[in-house]
Amino acid sequence: MIDKLNFAQRNLPIKSISASNQRLPRRLVTGRLAMTIQNMTSKELRQKYLDFFKAKSHAIIASASLIPENDPTTIFTGSGMQPMVPYLLGEKHPAGVRIADSQKCFRAGDIEEIGDNRHTTFFEMLGNWSLGDYFKKEQLAWMFEFLTKKLSLDSKNLYFTVFRGNEELGISRDDEAVEILKAEFKKAGLEAKAVDFSERDGLNGGRIFYYDESKNWWSRSGVPANMPIGEPGGPDSEIFWDFGAELKVHENSLFKNQPCHLNCACGRFLEIGNNVFMQYLKTEKGFERLPKGNIDFGGGLERLTAATDNKSDIFQTDLFKHIINRIEQLSGKKYGESEEITKAMRIIADHLKAATFIMADDKGITPSNTDRGYVLRRLIRRAIRYGRQIGINAAGGLWTKEIAKVVAHDYQTVYPELQKNINKVIEKFRAEEEKFGKTLEQGLKEFEKITDGQVAKKISGKEAFDLYQSYGFPLEITEELAKEKNCTVDGEACRAEMKKHQELSRTASAGAFKGGLADTSEQTKKLHTAAHLLLAALRKVLGAEVAQKGSNITAERLRFDFSYPEKMTDEQKKAVENLVNQAIKDASPIVCESMDLLKAKKIGAHGTFDSKYEEKVKVYTMGRSSAGSESPFSREICGGPHAGNTGELGHFKIKKEESSSAGVRRIKAILE
Ligand code: SER
């Protein structure tokens, strides 16, 4: 749903987008105070962050894929810490105990939030981690230094939140963080008052606020109560930037007549970063301390850029400037011209940027009716519908690929995979737009017919399903169209209909992924090892072109996606099973070595080599070489963890081999 509150900004003059490119200090008047801000491009900001932590002995690593490895908690990488989970749980990271990066992230859950000034589905998260090394004191002081000295953010506009504590969890309130922050503010000449957050009192003269676990606790699955056993998490301290009191209460605000506070949705305050003190593990007995405290910091690059520009609209930063310009050209409309146009342009810019990144990922996804492909389809089709609304494609030409070209160009030096895979991406956009374009007009007519003249009509599951089946309208688009007409949709019945037709098996919702986490239980480790043996066996049976396209491992089974154009025959499946079981029977030790990426490449390890950083990686070697060959059975770059010896695995069995998406097959397998 669109957060209406954020159109608080619509009555404010939209500053020229090109202003973000000026390098000279610019005088800004915020209403409360005047200040000088050193304008900085997002590229400079990203680099400053990495340089800052490099100077503090952090190894800079490349962004992991948007498609998570062995992490069933989300279908896309949604935070910088996700690829770090094994290391936060104690696995040794090959690059050491201090790591920093800029991670590509995508949050499918936010699709409907897009349209306001600060939400995006795709974003970059600047992250730094201490793996049992430094802790709270260093992190908060460094972050303060980075924000105020390196980004020249005025400490007067910085606010913090901390965890209020929870007796039931046995976790006390974070007075330690408060003391550290107070001292930092004092150095900057400010007296920082810490107060308990209360909605009634709002800011109440405070600069540091205690909130409960609904706001100041972080784990991949949210609040402590939702965390499964084996999941790490901890209290956090979030950082907010104040855009100024004039953005406060707005006539449509939910908070009308209520005092504004840091987490309220009026748009005045923007969360720009989160310091997580990752020190607990959920166990059967409650929360236990991890052997050592970890730091997990994440800061949204888009939001930090908005703060340094002091623009409350992230779509006006240089991370969106060229994309919005292109949408303006294509539509002949101007950003900011009306609320409707601004919202549509934000949705188009966000969705097509996200779709470009998802399709350009080395484990690239294609629009489809299942899993990630469905989310991607939804993004593209929703953008096309909004494009139509603001007059793009009047001449019937294909246009989504035009946005992809801008995205690939803008990010070429940071994410080279975009340019590398641009032709593939353009082709996917073309195919999807052509497909949807054929049915969109007719579908909209059909929708009009269904709702014609009926006030508050409830569109039946069957009608919504027909719009999906015949015209390619994802249910969510029908729901959105219905809302615009004050109608509703029987979504449940539609989903039941979809299930019945086995058209849609969406794993984006809970359910399909339930019951497992990127845990390090013995069985999960064994299945992870089996996944390596499986890839090696597939390459031996089907050919060396076979590449891994994704995997998902729980304690019960492994699921493995790989590139291959055809259904596997029974003989091929048997041959693969036999090879894996032979490697298990050989009972050879599994060897893990840490080495430079270049060396890993030289010795023939499989994995992604696109990194531009000189990284140390872990290489797992398993299984004996076959007669006449020098190479081991399997050698892959991987973070681990794995079993100690192939002999521990038991008997490997393929339960299913099926299509995952175009050109990608999926195997589900177990160890008996
Ligand atoms: N994991 C935390 C977040 O995503 C901080 O990196 O907010």
Side-chain angles (χ1 to χ4, degrees):
M1 198 190 73
I2 289 303
D3 182 352
K4 289 202 189 95
L5 314 176
N6 300 301
F7 285 107
Q9 288 78 7
R10 74 171 175 262
N11 294 328
L12 298 170
I14 290 180
K15 289 173 208 131
S16 146
I17 292 172
S18 61
S20 66
N21 253 6
Q22 294 168 9
R23 299 295 181 83
L24 294 172
R26 178 166 53 98
R27 227 44 212 151
L28 286 177
V29 179
T30 67
R32 266 179 329 143
L33 63 146
M35 60 191 157
T36 303
I37 286 189
Q38 180 72 46
N39 275 126
M40 188 182 300
T41 64
S42 56
K43 207 166 166 183
E44 286 164 347
L45 199 161
R46 189 193 290 110
Q47 198 56 48
K48 266 183 199 280
Y49 174 81
L50 297 176
D51 289 347
F52 181 80
F53 280 97
K54 192 171 180 186
K56 302 216 178 302
S57 308
H58 286 62
I60 310 303
I61 63 166
S63 171
S65 165
L66 270 173
I67 320 302
E69 279 290 320
N70 305 326
D71 181 345
T73 54
T74 56
I75 59 171
F76 291 98
T77 302
S79 65
M81 69 77 83
Q82 275 180 253
M84 301 295 293
V85 169
Y87 313 109
L88 292 164
L89 287 169
E91 189 72 12
K92 200 170 156 359
H93 195 291
V97 291
R98 296 182 178 197
I99 315 283
D101 72 6
S102 178
Q103 171 66 45
K104 303 182 275 188
C105 296
F106 175 78
R107 293 189 177 171
D110 283 346
I111 289 183
E112 271 146 48
E113 301 258 8
I114 314 306
D116 68 14
N117 65 325
R118 62 189 183 281
H119 281 97
T120 54
T121 55
F122 172 86
F123 61 99
E124 270 179 83
M125 193 178 266
L126 302 177
N128 65 273
W129 292 273
S130 155
L131 303 171
D133 187 34
Y134 60 87
F135 201 52
K136 206 176 283 186
K137 194 157 179 273
E138 292 86 345
Q139 175 62 22
L140 290 176
W142 288 345
M143 204 33 70
F144 209 91
E145 180 189 341
F146 174 68
L147 296 173
T148 57
K149 300 277 171 17
K150 302 290 170 188
L151 300 190
S152 306
L153 290 177
D154 193 330
S155 50
K156 285 196 203 77
N157 292 351
L158 287 176
Y159 288 76
F160 285 76
T161 61
V162 297
F163 184 44
R164 167 181 283 181
N166 182 326
E167 263 177 41
E168 262 172 55
L169 301 175
I171 297 174
S172 53
R173 77 190 221 147
D174 201 349
D175 290 327
E176 189 192 348
V178 168
E179 289 315 310
I180 300 166
L181 290 170
K182 275 186 172 176
E184 291 302 322
F185 275 111
K186 196 162 182 185
K187 276 191 245 164
L190 286 174
E191 197 67 47
K193 192 171 130 194
V195 298
D196 255 314
F197 161 70
S198 103
E199 207 157 277
R200 198 197 58 212
D201 297 334
L203 290 178
N204 200 17
R207 185 162 290 279
I208 305 166
F209 294 85
Y210 293 99
Y211 279 83
D212 66 13
E213 57 271 23
S214 67
K215 295 290 179 204
N216 281 84
W217 180 274
W218 208 90
S219 80
R220 285 180 302 176
S221 30
V223 294
N226 288 349
M227 289 167 63
I229 305 299
E231 182 69 4
D236 64 34
S237 173
E238 296 184 342
I239 310 164
F240 288 79
W241 177 253
D242 182 4
F243 282 109
E246 73 270 30
L247 289 182
K248 207 176 125 182
V249 181
H250 168 251
E251 56 179 323
N252 289 332
S253 168
L254 283 175
F255 292 85
K256 192 177 175 186
N257 302 326
Q258 285 191 32
C260 174
H261 64 97
L262 300 193
N263 278 302
C264 99
C266 76
R268 171 178 169 183
F269 291 100
L270 182 71
E271 185 203 332
I272 53 173
N274 186 11
N275 303 282
V276 183
F277 312 120
M278 186 66 76
Q279 66 201 117
Y280 296 100
L281 186 71
K282 182 135 171 197
T283 71
E284 303 279 358
K285 289 175 264 152
F287 280 99
E288 274 179 14
R289 283 206 182 240
L290 288 165
K292 285 182 179 167
N294 303 302
I295 290 293
D296 158 30
F297 170 79
L301 177 66
E302 291 75 3
R303 291 178 171 206
L304 283 160
T305 306
T308 55
D309 282 357
N310 207 32
K311 287 197 181 95
S312 59
D313 179 359
I314 63 170
F315 292 91
Q316 289 185 68
T317 64
D318 68 0
L319 288 153
F320 281 99
K321 176 186 153 191
H322 296 126
I323 304 174
I324 297 279
N325 284 353
R326 195 75 184 94
I327 298 172
E328 287 181 331
Q329 283 169 356
L330 290 164
S331 65
K333 306 279 187 323
K334 280 271 162 241
Y335 185 79
E337 199 177 306
S338 72
E339 181 183 318
E340 191 195 341
I341 286 168
T342 302
K343 176 186 159 185
M345 287 192 181
R346 286 171 175 170
I347 291 174
I348 296 166
D350 168 77
H351 287 14
L352 295 183
K353 186 201 258 193
T356 303
F357 268 93
I358 291 171
M359 294 192 287
D361 199 281
D362 278 326
K363 291 191 204 152
I365 308 290
T366 302
S368 73
N369 283 342
T370 55
D371 301 353
R372 300 183 180 99
Y374 179 78
V375 175
L376 178 59
R377 169 157 286 168
R378 227 178 112 192
L379 287 171
I380 300 174
R381 294 190 174 193
R382 191 163 186 251
I384 293 173
R385 183 177 90 74
Y386 274 97
R388 187 184 171 280
Q389 199 170 296
I390 58 168
I392 309 186
N393 197 21
L398 300 177
W399 62 275
T400 52
K401 60 181 187 341
E402 297 307 318
I403 307 298
K405 287 182 202 163
V406 178
V407 176
H409 184 267
D410 272 3
Y411 284 90
Q412 58 186 328
T413 52
V414 191
Y415 297 107
E417 68 271 22
L418 293 179
Q419 280 297 7
K420 191 180 102 190
N421 297 324
I422 188 68
N423 291 338
K424 216 161 61 185
V425 171
I426 287 176
E427 176 48 30
K428 288 181 188 186
F429 268 122
R430 196 198 54 72
E432 184 63 9
E433 195 175 347
E434 217 165 59
K435 212 181 269 176
F436 190 47
K438 276 197 195 121
T439 57
L440 175 63
E441 286 305 319
Q442 257 181 309
L444 287 170
K445 273 193 205 129
E446 185 59 29
F447 179 84
E448 290 299 322
K449 242 196 260 165
I450 293 172
T451 51
D452 189 32
Q454 301 187 49
V455 183
K457 149 127 188 156
K458 182 159 185 171
I459 298 169
S460 73
K462 171 85 176 56
E463 285 166 330
F465 178 70
D466 285 347
L467 283 169
Y468 167 71
Q469 175 91 325
S470 312
Y471 305 104
F473 280 32
L475 169 61
E476 294 78 2
I477 287 192
T478 302
E479 283 174 337
E480 206 165 39
L481 286 167
K483 211 157 134 198
E484 286 165 17
K485 292 210 146 213
N486 282 328
C487 295
T488 54
V489 183
D490 189 343
E492 210 172 299
C494 176
R495 269 185 279 268
E497 199 79 19
M498 284 165 165
K499 236 189 198 151
K500 215 165 70 194
H501 286 72
Q502 295 191 325
E503 287 279 337
L504 190 66
S505 59
R506 291 169 56 195
T507 50
S509 55
F513 275 145
K514 73 168 180 272
L517 274 176
D519 64 293
T520 49
S521 74
E522 278 314 303
Q523 193 57 18
T524 309
K525 281 191 208 169
K526 288 179 192 168
L527 280 158
H528 187 190
T529 303
H532 280 223
L533 298 178
L534 171 61
L535 174 62
L538 285 167
R539 291 167 53 88
K540 289 182 209 310
V541 174
L542 304 178
E545 326 67 68
V546 168
Q548 178 169 349
K549 287 289 176 187
S551 78
N552 171 271
I553 296 168
T554 68
E556 284 79 38
R557 55 104 182 105
L558 73 85
R559 206 184 69 192
F560 191 85
D561 291 355
F562 58 99
S563 55
Y564 193 63
E566 293 154 29
K567 188 170 171 53
M568 285 173 74
T569 63
D570 288 346
E571 292 73 41
Q572 286 170 331
K573 281 189 266 181
K574 197 80 226 139
V576 167
E577 274 180 352
N578 287 346
L579 276 172
V580 173
N581 282 319
Q582 188 53 51
I584 294 173
K585 250 203 217 117
D586 285 347
S588 59
I590 288 158
V591 180
C592 171
E593 292 161 284
S594 178
M595 63 183 79
D596 290 339
L597 193 60
L598 267 181
K599 167 136 192 251
K601 193 174 182 176
K602 230 174 164 170
I603 64 168
H606 291 289
T608 312
F609 292 107
D610 280 343
S611 171
K612 37 187 197 340
Y613 302 105
E614 288 170 16
E615 271 178 49
K616 282 236 179 270
V617 293
K618 271 160 93 171
V619 173
Y620 279 90
T621 304
M622 45 186 84
R624 291 184 214 289
S625 46
S626 48
S629 160
E630 295 273 289
S631 335
F633 186 79
S634 152
R635 181 169 271 164
E636 279 189 53
I637 294 176
C638 172
H642 282 282
N645 187 300
T646 59
E648 296 167 19
L649 266 53
H651 187 257
F652 174 80
K653 194 169 165 59
I654 294 178
K655 296 293 279 186
K656 210 173 190 178
E657 190 273 345
E658 61 192 351
S659 163
S660 164
S661 60
V664 179
R665 308 291 304 173
R666 169 169 292 178
I667 279 182
K668 289 192 182 134
I670 54 165
L671 288 170
E672 300 173 312

